[in-house]
Amino acid sequence: MYSGAAAAAGPPRRDFISVTLGPEEAVGVGGYNNSKAWRRRSCWRKWKQLSRLQRSVILFLFAFLAVCGVISYTSMGEAWKSITNKSLDEQRTEQEIPGLKLANPAVLPAPQKADANRGDNPELSLQKPPKPPHVRRGPSNLQIRAPRRDMRLKTQHDTIRAVEELVEADKVEKTEKSIISWRGAVIEPDQSTEPPSSKIKEPEKPSPMEAEDQKEPVPINERQLAVIEAFRHAWKGYKDFAWGHDELKPLSKSYSEWFGLGLTLIDALDTMWIFGLKEEFEEARKWVANDLIFDKNVDVNLFESTIRILGGLLSTYHLSGDSLFLEKAKDIGNRLMPAFKTPSKIPYSDVNIGRGTAHPPRWTSDSTVAEVTSIQLEFRELSRLTGDEKFQKAVDGVMKHVHTLSGKNDGLVPMFINTNSGQFTHLGVYTLGARADSYYEYLLKQWIQGGKKENELLEDYMRAIEGVKKHLLQRSQPKKLTFVGELAHGHFSAKMDHLVCFLPGTLALGAHNGLAADHMKLAEALIETCYQMYAQVETGLSPEIVHFNLHAQKGHKDVEIKPADRHNLLRPETVESLFYMYRFTGDKKYQDWGWEILQNFNRYTRVPTGGYTSINNVQNPSNPEPRDKMESFFLGETLKYMFLLFSDDIDLINLDKYIFNTEAHPLPIWVPA
Ligand code: DMJ
């Protein structure tokens, strides 16, 4: 390269200035020089040009940044290390089990995203509700084998939201957002899934619940939820004003005592279990454990305490697997045994369970036929569970004796039996209502309970139904309703107790178990009649007794009601039969009829402060005249049968595995179908 100034000075001279050019200089003045050495020199020159103050400020800033750097490095180091490690672990897992990453959230889970999902889908948000600190888990025996998790979640969608609404509506109740699942048992999503702790040992047989535990859950529907709501309302009244006593008096906010044994509480135990009311059940269980004492100087009615207390304890034992209930059942069973110490072995009606003495009513030495022949399911089961045959021997003896007795009319039995002679008394009067009703029911049910082997029971049952057809069936006018009347010394009476409405259900159960098909036809006709006993009445509730019109009269319905009979005690029989009819036919009209009845109970018998009351006048909707008493069977039977009627789950107390006693307490069939 040459210098332009030299070239312009004259002719070219061959004088060369030898200049050794370093690379920077070779670029020429003003050219771009970015070499490290040049930059160093340049910086240094600039630094020298700065004032002392400027240099001090810059030095201070550098020192400050250096200190900050050291601090932040130590605190973030660990975090980075763990993030890095987790990330690596996850990558490894992802490689080993493809797809697992979805189940295990990534390094930084996205709670915001999950929350957003909840907002979008309220149902999902209820699948795993937050557990409030006060919520207690039930005892292990409350925790039944859980269905597969995916099925549980499916079930919860419909059920739990409605349960939540109920809970919210009930300000008194604390919220436990639990999941009501199949068979009414409460299962929380993350709860232990152990099977019931069945304490059954020799000679007990395993509970048939095991097999059912494998089945898929069926969601609880709106109508069932309405029944749960009714139960909770009734229970609130009992809890607030009658806790531990026999019956609630919901208007006077008080209670009545019959045996002083917490009758309503015991009668309601298995209902709570079936409904999945875990907290209520647990609270009641505590009362049974701590306060139910049978060593009391008190007279109890053998039949009533057997079907309600012994039956209730046995069924609760079977459903829950909790041996407490079996222990209590043994205790009361033993205390009732003195009733059989009679000359005829036909038991007395009353027993003092503290003293161990028994006696007939003061005015007679007779017992009621229905009473002495409707304690068998319970005592037989107690023998099976305890291995002590004395219970079964006593009650089987009664049946065998009654089987041989004269005084029947084509299988129909009189209403009374003498405890001294062992003979029927008050001959010539036949009814399927009060004092005889459950004799017929228990003939069939014992036969089923024992595996359909005890032929005498079946014979007596079949003969009795023929007797009903021959002597007691008539048709009313104008609707031609088939009804069961009464026979008194050869005279037919068109009177039918509401109690007789157990019969359609029993007939249907017999037909389901292989008995004559015409029993089912009769059942269909009779349940229609029982429904009309509600539908033709002003409140839509049946009276205790009706009289049917045998002759058409202008302006008259089929059903007539006498002033003395127009009360309603919240009885279960019609709902009970509706349940059987729906189970065996699948005809939804039976559910609809039951739904109407539930609504009318709510309309005319519900007491705002808690509880339901029996009423005196089903014909007066503006004043049904509350009687101020809630019978224990309203919780033990009526609401339970309602709940089962509205269910489409045939395994919710499967009728091929369980037999209901006459107080709606399910007991296992010994040889299930
Ligand atoms: C219950 O105690 C039982 O159902 C019994 O068999 C008849 N009476 C009441 C219900 O009505």
Side-chain angles (χ1 to χ4, degrees), residues 303-304 307-308 499 571-573 633 637 662-663:
F303 163 73
E304 297 292 356
I307 65 168
R308 300 187 198 211
L499 287 169
R571 284 197 192 276
E573 290 77 15
F633 52 69
E637 294 193 72
T662 193
E663 190 74 6

Side-chain angles (χ1 to χ4, degrees), residues 157-201:
H157 279 303
D158 297 334
T159 306
I160 197 160
R161 187 162 54 174
V163 170
E164 280 303 302
E165 280 164 12
L166 273 181
V167 172
E168 285 302 316
D170 188 353
K171 294 277 192 295
V172 180
E173 303 291 337
K174 293 277 184 232
T175 56
E176 180 183 7
K177 297 177 181 177
S178 49
I179 292 149
I180 298 184
S181 182
W182 175 76
R183 244 187 47 218
V186 177
I187 301 166
E188 294 169 2
D190 56 350
Q191 183 173 318
S192 154
T193 55
E194 286 158 31
S197 60
S198 177
K199 302 281 190 306
I200 297 177
K201 44 187 170 2

